[in-house]
């Protein structure tokens, strides 16, 4: 009986010790899980929340070669026989529907990207490409390419076949951007040397020359709901003009350090890259003070997936912002949420 009681007592002590160790282990596991969750939260902190105006969606770093466009066969790397194209230094981008065009100054080529087939097809493959060129796909699907070295704007059909170039002797010396008025068909070219805008008709004839008095420089431009949006790099502001060149309004004066590229959504949200800190700032109209105010900023954290290194170009189409992230050798695609506060 004494032996049984001693055995029972000893067993209870062992059980108590085992339960205590189990509880201790559970506490350790809980602490480790908590630390893991905190670590995950820290790692993802800074990635755009569901309520921010820009959300990282996907990226283009390369793709299979499309082989040919408009019946022109192309072989990218005959030495290796590889038909996969890896981007090196994208410097300009434009998009319209399923047609995405980009200039890669590293590869010295222009490409057409097909998002459905996920292919990169050389566009106008015999054209010598340099870092100063900019590309723009027009509403009629034709493609304009600025050629500052030769003081002209090249024009192509969708298949890369050439159309008459835009030239204006004495008026256009360094073209930096092109936009097309889809209602009148007029083509507007920004000149970065003379700081003016030249308007052409659809046959390439010079119609008018605008030199906005409200700008110190014409670095680049784009189109939007209110007309033509000119990025003034010296005054660090955006000047908005009507399609006839009339001044409408300006905003963001001295709020940008080194503005580089600009794009405008159909909801009149203006996206501007800042080369100083490799960020994109979003501006939208505020009815409170009847001015454009910063509605969001992305890219400031270099450890996040939405960081940038050398933003060379911006483009908007169908609710998406395309970013030529030049020194990261990729094109980032961001989803735009116009409902974000």
């Amino acid at each position: 009986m004494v032996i049984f009681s001693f055995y029972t007592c000893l067993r209870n002590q062992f059980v108590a010790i085992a339960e205590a160790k189990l509880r201790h282990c559970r506490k350790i596991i809980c602490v480790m899980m908590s630390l893991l969750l905190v670590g995950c939260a820290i790692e993802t902190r800074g990635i755009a929340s569901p309520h921010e105006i820009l959300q990282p969606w996907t990226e283009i770093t390369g793709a299979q070669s499309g082989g040919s466009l408009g019946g022109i066969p192309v072989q990218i790397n005959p030495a290796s026989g590889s038909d996969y194209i890896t981007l090196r230094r994208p410097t300009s981008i434009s998009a319209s529907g399923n047609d995405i065009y980009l200039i890669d100054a590293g590869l010295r080529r222009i490409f057409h990207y097909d998002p459905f087939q996920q292919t990169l097809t050389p566009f106008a493959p015999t054209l010598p490409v340099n870092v100063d060129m900019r590309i723009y796909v027009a509403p009629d699907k034709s493609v304009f390419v600025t050629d500052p070295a030769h003081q002209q704007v090249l024009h192509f059909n969708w298949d890369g076949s050439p159309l008459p170039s835009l030239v204006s002797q004495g008026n256009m010396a360094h073209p930096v951007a092109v936009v097309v008025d889809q209602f009148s068909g007029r083509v507007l070219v920004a000149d970065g040397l003379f700081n003016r805008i030249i308007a052409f008709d659809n046959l390439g004839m010079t119609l008018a020359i605008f030199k906005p008095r409200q700008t110190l420089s014409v670095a680049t431009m784009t189109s939007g709901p209110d007309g033509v949006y000119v990025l003034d790099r010296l005054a660090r502001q955006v000047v908005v003009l009507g399609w006839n060149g009339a001044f409408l309004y300006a905003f963001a004066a001295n709020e940008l350090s080194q503005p580089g590229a600009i794009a405008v959504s159909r909801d009149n949200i203006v996206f501007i890259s800042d080369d100083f800190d490799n960020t994109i700032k979003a501006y939208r109209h505020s009815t409170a003070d009847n001015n454009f105010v910063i509605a969001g900023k992305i890219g400031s954290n270099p450890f996040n997936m939405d960081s940038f290194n050398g933003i060379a170009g911006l483009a908007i189409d169908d609710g998406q912002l395309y970013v030529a992230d030049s020194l990261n050798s990729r094109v980032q695609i961001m989803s735009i949420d116009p409902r974000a506060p």
Side-chain angles (χ1 to χ4, degrees):
M1 188 69 177
V2 174
I3 295 175
F4 178 77
S5 299
F6 175 76
Y7 171 78
T8 302
C9 180
L10 187 63
R11 186 191 62 181
N12 291 340
Q13 287 181 354
F14 279 133
V15 171
I17 292 172
E19 289 179 348
K21 288 185 176 180
L22 182 60
R23 288 194 297 268
H24 182 66
C25 290
R26 286 174 177 171
K27 288 181 179 179
I28 293 176
I29 292 173
C30 290
V31 171
M32 292 178 65
M33 290 298 294
S34 299
L35 290 175
L36 182 61
L37 290 175
V38 170
C40 292
I42 292 174
E43 186 172 322
T44 58
R45 188 179 301 160
I47 295 178
S49 71
H51 300 294
E52 290 190 354
I53 203 163
L54 282 176
Q55 291 286 325
W57 185 60
T58 188
E59 64 179 18
I60 305 170
T61 57
Q64 291 295 124
S65 172
S68 65
L69 187 67
I72 304 175
V74 175
Q75 190 174 8
I76 293 298
N77 193 347
S80 64
S82 172
D83 59 353
Y84 188 87
I85 302 170
T86 301
L87 298 182
R88 291 185 186 174
R89 191 184 173 190
T91 51
S92 182
I93 190 162
S94 184
S96 176
N98 298 328
D99 297 309
I100 302 171
Y101 295 88
L102 63 94
I103 295 177
D104 192 306
L107 296 174
R108 299 183 64 83
R109 288 189 182 272
I110 300 174
F111 293 100
H112 172 272
Y113 179 74
D114 187 324
F116 291 109
Q117 297 185 7
Q118 295 186 354
T119 56
L120 281 167
T121 302
F123 180 83
T126 60
L127 174 66
V129 172
N130 61 63
V131 69
D132 293 328
M133 288 181 167
R134 296 294 178 264
I135 196 163
Y136 170 79
V137 53
D140 64 357
K141 301 298 184 181
S142 65
V143 178
F144 292 90
V145 179
T146 64
D147 185 8
H150 298 93
Q151 301 181 349
Q152 63 180 344
V153 174
L154 305 173
H155 194 194
F156 300 91
N157 276 315
W158 68 271
D159 60 357
S161 58
L163 295 170
S165 300
L166 302 181
V167 178
S168 185
Q169 295 292 339
N171 298 315
M172 188 171 70
H174 191 81
V176 293
V178 180
V179 295
V180 175
D181 183 355
Q182 61 179 337
F183 299 105
S184 67
R186 294 204 307 172
V187 182
L188 270 58
V189 179
D191 188 275
L193 181 62
F194 294 144
N195 294 319
R196 59 177 57 160
I197 298 172
I198 303 97
F200 296 86
D201 65 14
N202 52 16
L203 297 177
M205 299 295 294
T206 301
L207 295 177
I209 299 174
F210 311 134
K211 190 173 177 62
R213 292 183 294 103
Q214 297 80 7
T215 61
L216 298 177
S217 65
V218 178
T220 187
M221 71 176 178
T222 189
S223 59
D226 288 346
V228 181
Y229 296 65
V230 178
L231 187 61
D232 185 345
R233 190 167 293 165
L234 290 180
R236 293 181 291 173
Q237 67 175 352
V238 176
V239 175
V240 182
L241 309 173
W243 286 102
N244 60 356
F247 173 76
L248 299 179
Y249 57 87
F251 65 92
N254 298 318
E255 294 180 1
L256 301 159
S257 298
Q258 297 176 15
I262 185 172
V264 183
S265 74
R266 66 181 63 179
D267 302 290
N268 210 18
I269 303 173
V270 183
F271 298 92
I272 305 171
S273 68
D274 197 323
D275 297 337
F276 178 75
D277 56 2
N278 281 310
T279 60
I280 297 175
K281 297 178 175 69
Y283 285 82
R284 73 189 320 159
H285 187 263
S286 171
T287 55
D289 53 5
N290 194 28
N291 195 12
F292 277 73
V293 297
I294 295 179
K297 177 181 174 181
I298 194 169
S300 56
N301 190 334
F303 301 104
N304 287 343
M305 63 179 292
D306 53 11
S307 62
F308 308 108
N309 188 9
I311 302 172
L314 298 176
I316 287 180
D317 183 64
D318 197 24
Q320 293 179 322
L321 177 68
Y322 296 81
V323 184
D325 193 3
S326 182
L327 299 183
N328 279 333
S329 303
R330 62 182 176 179
V331 171
Q332 291 206 54
I333 305 176
M334 324 285 290
S335 295
I336 302 172
D337 184 2
R339 301 166 300 176

